[in-house]
Amino acid sequence: MDSQREPVQVARSAMRILILGGTIEASELAKLVADDKRFDATLSLAGRTMKPRPQPIATRSGGFGGAEALARWLRDEKIEAVVDATHPYADKMSANAVFACGQTGVPLASIVRPPWTAVPGDTWQSVADADAAAHAIGTRPHRVFLSLGRQELGAFAAAPQHHYLGRSVDEPRCVALPPDIRMLLARGPFTIDAETRLLRDEKIEVLVSKNSGGTAIYAKIAAARTLGIRVLMIARPDKATGHPVASAQEAIDWLHHAPPRSLRGV
Ligand code: NAP
């Protein structure tokens, strides 16, 4: 993608862009493009959250129906650039975006959020996925905090001997949960003080987390360090990317330089 970069062409009409969202970066980008007449942007959400945060641009919700269908959607909507600002664990959506943009010739940038790295005092154990995390907690009963998406909670039904405290934005649906689980419904960001209090009051011994990166939900990791709590860190999937950018602002800079569709003969 980088090699295709060209000087900005003066556009007669606003550039039609698709932002693949569900993250803070996607919301930041939506804010940046909302008042910019050069862009006509649509934000796409997976539709996992019952009440997503209000957004200042047109929003669509739910899957496209796979990579081919996304390619059709890009053509039908005459999209001229895509920014993949999906979560670091949303690897299927990113693979579909790379495929669809490759097939249609639409330039693609991907906001890549660096992972957290362990610092002295952290006791992290890397696990491949939620199933491996459930196994790694151990045979003896523990008090476990599951700070995960609703989709992953079901894996812990396979380790029913533990007491679980789960936290997600919405009530889990269509998932067979472990028998001894209490859910907290909350949306970040969270403070270190509040997370430390929660982990201490709930006598948590093991924290299961994704390595989401960023600052909004890092407090639980810092709190676990302070309290000496073991963290089972679910490894990141390999995510396909277009032109990598580090932030919403970098994505805007890229959009200003993305080659117009007409230069690529599509
Ligand atoms: P995924 O596995 O990459 O995506 C599965 C399917 O969901 C995609 O193939 C696509 O369906 C649809 N999809 C995903 N993101 C979409 C978007 N922005 N717009 C339209 N459709 C979208 O991602 P996931 O199942 O949503 O989540 C995977 C992991 O990421 C989980 O661990 C989850 O907790 C975490 N996560 C996701 C989000 C999010 O907003 N998606 C936010 C926070 C955390 P089609 O193939 O039908 O197009």
Side-chain angles (χ1 to χ4, degrees), residues 112-149:
V112 179
R113 192 195 293 167
W116 300 316
T117 51
V119 300
D122 283 328
T123 46
W124 294 6
Q125 180 184 343
S126 179
V127 288
D129 52 26
D131 293 326
H135 182 73
I137 298 168
T139 47
R140 190 171 69 77
H142 285 291
R143 295 182 66 84
V144 184
F145 183 36
L146 302 176
S147 176
L148 298 172

Side-chain angles (χ1 to χ4, degrees), residues 212-224:
S212 297
T215 54
I217 54 168
Y218 181 72
K220 65 191 173 187
I221 304 296

